[in-house]
Amino acid sequence: MSFESEAVLEWTVTLESANRTWKKSYQTGINQDGPMKFSQEDVTKNMNLMLSTLLERTLQDEEFQKALSR
């Protein structure tokens, strides 16, 4: 027996000031397959990896950096 898994995580970042609002969504995903022994630890590891990826993409995004400096 085996499994196939696809997980997608998206978050939306919103910056608000008195003069304007900036908003952008970021998305990442993981595909995985293997023998039927997918554990809670695997799910936690994948969620942590996706959250780390989203954070890195957000912080390195030029649009986000420009919006922060306004």
Side-chain angles (χ1 to χ4, degrees):
M1 294 181 79
S2 63
F3 77 93
E4 291 183 26
S5 169
E6 178 182 17
V8 176
L9 186 62
E10 178 180 74
W11 69 24
T12 301
V13 177
T14 304
L15 301 174
E16 296 182 14
S17 69
N19 300 340
R20 77 186 279 248
T21 298
W22 180 89
K23 187 177 196 178
K24 185 172 180 179
S25 294
Y26 300 85
Q27 187 178 70
T28 191
I30 292 179
N31 292 311
Q32 188 174 0
D33 58 23
M36 192 62 117
K37 60 177 185 177
F38 200 61
S39 69
Q40 182 64 36
E41 289 177 5
D42 291 328
V43 173
T44 301
K45 181 181 79 179
N46 287 348
M47 288 295 295
N48 286 335
L49 179 60
M50 288 190 294
L51 288 167
S52 294
T53 299
L54 285 175
L55 180 59
E56 182 178 344
R57 286 182 183 169
T58 303
L59 295 176
Q60 291 183 0
D61 182 26
E62 288 182 28
E63 290 179 40
F64 175 73
Q65 293 298 325
K66 287 178 185 176
L68 277 178
S69 64
R70 292 184 182 187

